[in-house]
Amino acid sequence: MKNVIIILTLLISNLTSAQIEKENDTLEIWTLFSIGNFVNQNAERIVEKKWPFKIKGIAGDSFMEDLIDSVEIHNNKVWTYLDANGYSESKKKFETDLLTEIKQIKKAVDISNSDKKVVSLFEKWRKNGQQNYTALNKLTDVKYEFSLYSFDVNDLDKGQTFELKYIVDLDNEKIKVIK
């Protein structure tokens, strides 16, 4: 009887600890990023959709040197896992995807910054002491949708105000205003 109680106790404690120590099975690629880098953050968010992992920024503008080694060790485990499970040269392919997306977003931003309506809106915000927020969505391989919002940092309870929505077409280097 004593043995049965011991076995039952061990079994229950193992089941309980297995539930408590629930392991996270989500793959993550860690990045060291600069806070506020619009292009890189959006490129990572867009490229992440093509891959079976999440991209997680683990450091801001400053970080210790040994953190770089930790990030590389962690990411190398993910690349090895992916290459062993159906991917080929996953790290190289991901880096190519990311660099391509960064270049395209930079081009879309440059096209935006050359548009008179967009430039005048940013000037208006600067003169009025307002801040802005831009939401970016990739519609196709060559089209990006920008939604611009403004807000007053001195009155955050007021929230943000929608200002402008437009699509940048990289092929013809033009902007089409939607709203």
Side-chain angles (χ1 to χ4, degrees):
M1 183 67 161
K2 187 177 179 181
N3 288 342
V4 171
I5 292 174
I6 292 172
I7 291 172
L8 280 174
T9 305
L10 287 172
L11 219 111
I12 291 170
S13 67
N14 281 340
L15 287 173
T16 305
S17 66
Q19 289 176 348
I20 293 171
E21 296 175 14
K22 186 177 178 183
E23 196 172 307
N24 187 357
D25 63 351
T26 303
L27 293 175
E28 291 179 338
I29 289 295
W30 292 351
T31 63
L32 305 173
F33 65 92
S34 178
I35 295 172
N37 188 326
F38 176 81
V39 172
N40 286 11
Q41 287 177 343
N42 279 287
E44 288 176 355
R45 181 182 53 80
I46 290 168
V47 170
E48 175 185 73
K49 293 175 184 176
K50 299 178 185 177
W51 290 88
F53 54 72
K54 296 288 181 196
I55 298 174
K56 181 179 178 182
I58 62 164
D61 289 333
S62 62
F63 48 87
M64 296 173 55
E65 282 292 319
D66 61 342
L67 186 58
I68 294 172
D69 293 336
S70 298
V71 168
E72 287 180 14
I73 290 168
H74 169 82
N75 289 350
N76 284 338
K77 289 178 185 176
V78 175
W79 301 130
T80 302
Y81 172 82
L82 290 173
D83 288 345
N85 287 283
Y87 288 84
S88 177
E89 297 185 27
S90 56
K91 180 179 180 182
K92 184 177 178 183
K93 175 73 172 122
F94 169 75
E95 288 173 347
T96 300
D97 287 353
L98 188 60
L99 285 174
T100 300
E101 196 63 44
I102 287 170
K103 287 177 185 176
Q104 287 187 271
I105 293 173
K106 281 182 180 179
K107 183 176 179 182
V109 168
D110 289 344
I111 293 167
S112 296
N113 290 339
S114 67
D115 184 81
K116 291 178 184 178
K117 189 169 189 168
V118 174
V119 171
S120 67
L121 187 58
F122 278 99
E123 275 297 311
K124 178 183 116 180
W125 291 336
R126 189 184 60 74
K127 287 178 184 175
N128 294 338
Q130 292 181 306
Q131 297 295 315
N132 65 74
Y133 168 74
T134 303
L136 178 71
N137 289 312
K138 184 173 184 167
L139 302 176
T140 67
D141 285 341
V142 296
K143 291 185 180 180
Y144 291 87
E145 178 185 77
F146 288 77
S147 298
L148 306 180
Y149 301 87
S150 65
F151 61 94
D152 185 351
V153 290
N154 297 319
D155 190 7
L156 293 177
D157 291 334
K158 188 177 173 183
Q160 57 188 13
T161 304
F162 171 78
E163 299 280 353
L164 181 66
K165 183 183 280 191
Y166 59 90
I167 295 174
V168 174
D169 186 330
L170 299 178
D171 278 347
N172 64 23
E173 298 187 5
K174 300 244 184 226
I175 289 178
K176 178 184 175 187
V177 175
I178 299 172
K179 293 180 186 177

mmCIF file of all heavy atoms in Angstrom, residues 131-146:
data_model
loop_
_atom_site.group_PDB
_atom_site.id
_atom_site.type_symbol
_atom_site.label_atom_id
_atom_site.label_comp_id
_atom_site.label_asym_id
_atom_site.label_seq_id
_atom_site.Cartn_x
_atom_site.Cartn_y
_atom_site.Cartn_z
ATOM 1 N N GLN A 131 3.027 65.465 -32.983
ATOM 2 C CA GLN A 131 3.796 64.283 -33.350
ATOM 3 C C GLN A 131 2.982 63.480 -34.354
ATOM 4 O O GLN A 131 1.789 63.728 -34.532
ATOM 5 C CB GLN A 131 4.107 63.430 -32.114
ATOM 6 C CG GLN A 131 4.961 64.149 -31.096
ATOM 7 C CD GLN A 131 6.335 64.457 -31.634
ATOM 8 O OE1 GLN A 131 6.974 63.614 -32.240
ATOM 9 N NE2 GLN A 131 6.789 65.680 -31.423
ATOM 10 N N ASN A 132 3.638 62.505 -34.973
ATOM 11 C CA ASN A 132 2.908 61.694 -35.947
ATOM 12 C C ASN A 132 3.176 60.217 -35.729
ATOM 13 O O ASN A 132 4.148 59.830 -35.093
ATOM 14 C CB ASN A 132 3.276 62.091 -37.371
ATOM 15 C CG ASN A 132 4.721 61.801 -37.681
ATOM 16 O OD1 ASN A 132 5.104 60.657 -37.873
ATOM 17 N ND2 ASN A 132 5.550 62.828 -37.721
ATOM 18 N N TYR A 133 2.275 59.443 -36.276
ATOM 19 C CA TYR A 133 2.391 57.987 -36.279
ATOM 20 C C TYR A 133 2.006 57.521 -37.678
ATOM 21 O O TYR A 133 1.013 57.984 -38.242
ATOM 22 C CB TYR A 133 1.457 57.366 -35.235
ATOM 23 C CG TYR A 133 1.330 55.867 -35.384
ATOM 24 C CD1 TYR A 133 2.368 55.028 -34.999
ATOM 25 C CD2 TYR A 133 0.192 55.299 -35.948
ATOM 26 C CE1 TYR A 133 2.259 53.658 -35.163
ATOM 27 C CE2 TYR A 133 0.086 53.935 -36.102
ATOM 28 C CZ TYR A 133 1.121 53.117 -35.707
ATOM 29 O OH TYR A 133 1.020 51.763 -35.879
ATOM 30 N N THR A 134 2.803 56.634 -38.237
ATOM 31 C CA THR A 134 2.531 56.101 -39.567
ATOM 32 C C THR A 134 2.352 54.592 -39.477
ATOM 33 O O THR A 134 3.214 53.888 -38.947
ATOM 34 C CB THR A 134 3.691 56.417 -40.533
ATOM 35 O OG1 THR A 134 3.898 57.826 -40.562
ATOM 36 C CG2 THR A 134 3.393 55.910 -41.923
ATOM 37 N N ALA A 135 1.233 54.120 -40.000
ATOM 38 C CA ALA A 135 0.990 52.678 -40.116
ATOM 39 C C ALA A 135 1.278 52.283 -41.562
ATOM 40 O O ALA A 135 0.869 52.975 -42.490
ATOM 41 C CB ALA A 135 -0.448 52.357 -39.749
ATOM 42 N N LEU A 136 1.994 51.191 -41.723
ATOM 43 C CA LEU A 136 2.379 50.732 -43.056
ATOM 44 C C LEU A 136 1.862 49.323 -43.288
ATOM 45 O O LEU A 136 2.023 48.442 -42.432
ATOM 46 C CB LEU A 136 3.908 50.743 -43.195
ATOM 47 C CG LEU A 136 4.470 50.242 -44.515
ATOM 48 C CD1 LEU A 136 4.172 51.243 -45.629
ATOM 49 C CD2 LEU A 136 5.965 50.018 -44.405
ATOM 50 N N ASN A 137 1.241 49.113 -44.443
ATOM 51 C CA ASN A 137 0.800 47.782 -44.857
ATOM 52 C C ASN A 137 1.320 47.514 -46.253
ATOM 53 O O ASN A 137 1.273 48.393 -47.113
ATOM 54 C CB ASN A 137 -0.731 47.679 -44.862
ATOM 55 C CG ASN A 137 -1.297 47.671 -43.472
ATOM 56 O OD1 ASN A 137 -0.837 46.945 -42.613
ATOM 57 N ND2 ASN A 137 -2.295 48.504 -43.249
ATOM 58 N N LYS A 138 1.788 46.293 -46.457
ATOM 59 C CA LYS A 138 2.218 45.887 -47.797
ATOM 60 C C LYS A 138 1.026 45.262 -48.491
ATOM 61 O O LYS A 138 0.459 44.282 -48.018
ATOM 62 C CB LYS A 138 3.377 44.894 -47.709
ATOM 63 C CG LYS A 138 3.928 44.514 -49.064
ATOM 64 C CD LYS A 138 5.181 43.676 -48.952
ATOM 65 C CE LYS A 138 5.742 43.414 -50.345
ATOM 66 N NZ LYS A 138 7.082 42.881 -50.284
ATOM 67 N N LEU A 139 0.640 45.847 -49.627
ATOM 68 C CA LEU A 139 -0.524 45.351 -50.364
ATOM 69 C C LEU A 139 -0.135 44.308 -51.407
ATOM 70 O O LEU A 139 -0.820 43.296 -51.561
ATOM 71 C CB LEU A 139 -1.252 46.519 -51.032
ATOM 72 C CG LEU A 139 -1.737 47.624 -50.087
ATOM 73 C CD1 LEU A 139 -2.356 48.766 -50.885
ATOM 74 C CD2 LEU A 139 -2.710 47.080 -49.056
ATOM 75 N N THR A 140 0.933 44.601 -52.163
ATOM 76 C CA THR A 140 1.451 43.682 -53.181
ATOM 77 C C THR A 140 2.974 43.783 -53.139
ATOM 78 O O THR A 140 3.526 44.515 -52.316
ATOM 79 C CB THR A 140 0.960 44.048 -54.602
ATOM 80 O OG1 THR A 140 1.548 45.297 -54.985
ATOM 81 C CG2 THR A 140 -0.556 44.149 -54.676
ATOM 82 N N ASP A 141 3.640 43.106 -54.051
ATOM 83 C CA ASP A 141 5.098 43.183 -54.099
ATOM 84 C C ASP A 141 5.604 44.592 -54.373
ATOM 85 O O ASP A 141 6.733 44.930 -54.028
ATOM 86 C CB ASP A 141 5.658 42.231 -55.167
ATOM 87 C CG ASP A 141 5.610 40.783 -54.730
ATOM 88 O OD1 ASP A 141 5.486 40.520 -53.503
ATOM 89 O OD2 ASP A 141 5.695 39.899 -55.599
ATOM 90 N N VAL A 142 4.772 45.436 -54.990
ATOM 91 C CA VAL A 142 5.218 46.778 -55.372
ATOM 92 C C VAL A 142 4.339 47.900 -54.827
ATOM 93 O O VAL A 142 4.550 49.061 -55.156
ATOM 94 C CB VAL A 142 5.320 46.924 -56.910
ATOM 95 C CG1 VAL A 142 6.386 45.994 -57.470
ATOM 96 C CG2 VAL A 142 3.978 46.692 -57.572
ATOM 97 N N LYS A 143 3.363 47.576 -53.963
ATOM 98 C CA LYS A 143 2.473 48.610 -53.431
ATOM 99 C C LYS A 143 2.419 48.563 -51.906
ATOM 100 O O LYS A 143 2.237 47.495 -51.318
ATOM 101 C CB LYS A 143 1.064 48.472 -53.999
ATOM 102 C CG LYS A 143 0.994 48.808 -55.474
ATOM 103 C CD LYS A 143 -0.425 48.790 -55.985
ATOM 104 C CE LYS A 143 -0.433 49.142 -57.471
ATOM 105 N NZ LYS A 143 -1.783 49.143 -58.025
ATOM 106 N N TYR A 144 2.563 49.752 -51.319
ATOM 107 C CA TYR A 144 2.505 49.915 -49.871
ATOM 108 C C TYR A 144 1.452 50.955 -49.529
ATOM 109 O O TYR A 144 1.358 51.987 -50.184
ATOM 110 C CB TYR A 144 3.855 50.378 -49.313
ATOM 111 C CG TYR A 144 4.926 49.332 -49.406
ATOM 112 C CD1 TYR A 144 5.700 49.204 -50.548
ATOM 113 C CD2 TYR A 144 5.163 48.464 -48.345
ATOM 114 C CE1 TYR A 144 6.687 48.239 -50.638
ATOM 115 C CE2 TYR A 144 6.153 47.493 -48.430
ATOM 116 C CZ TYR A 144 6.903 47.379 -49.574
ATOM 117 O OH TYR A 144 7.875 46.424 -49.661
ATOM 118 N N GLU A 145 0.690 50.669 -48.486
ATOM 119 C CA GLU A 145 -0.331 51.603 -48.022
ATOM 120 C C GLU A 145 0.168 52.288 -46.754
ATOM 121 O O GLU A 145 0.537 51.622 -45.782
ATOM 122 C CB GLU A 145 -1.625 50.858 -47.731
ATOM 123 C CG GLU A 145 -2.737 51.722 -47.189
ATOM 124 C CD GLU A 145 -3.940 50.897 -46.822
ATOM 125 O OE1 GLU A 145 -3.903 50.250 -45.747
ATOM 126 O OE2 GLU A 145 -4.900 50.887 -47.609
ATOM 127 N N PHE A 146 0.184 53.604 -46.770
ATOM 128 C CA PHE A 146 0.586 54.414 -45.629
ATOM 129 C C PHE A 146 -0.660 55.070 -45.035
ATOM 130 O O PHE A 146 -1.457 55.666 -45.774
ATOM 131 C CB PHE A 146 1.546 55.527 -46.057
ATOM 132 C CG PHE A 146 2.923 55.059 -46.423
ATOM 133 C CD1 PHE A 146 3.169 54.446 -47.648
ATOM 134 C CD2 PHE A 146 3.985 55.253 -45.553
ATOM 135 C CE1 PHE A 146 4.443 54.027 -47.995
ATOM 136 C CE2 PHE A 146 5.265 54.839 -45.892
ATOM 137 C CZ PHE A 146 5.496 54.224 -47.117
#
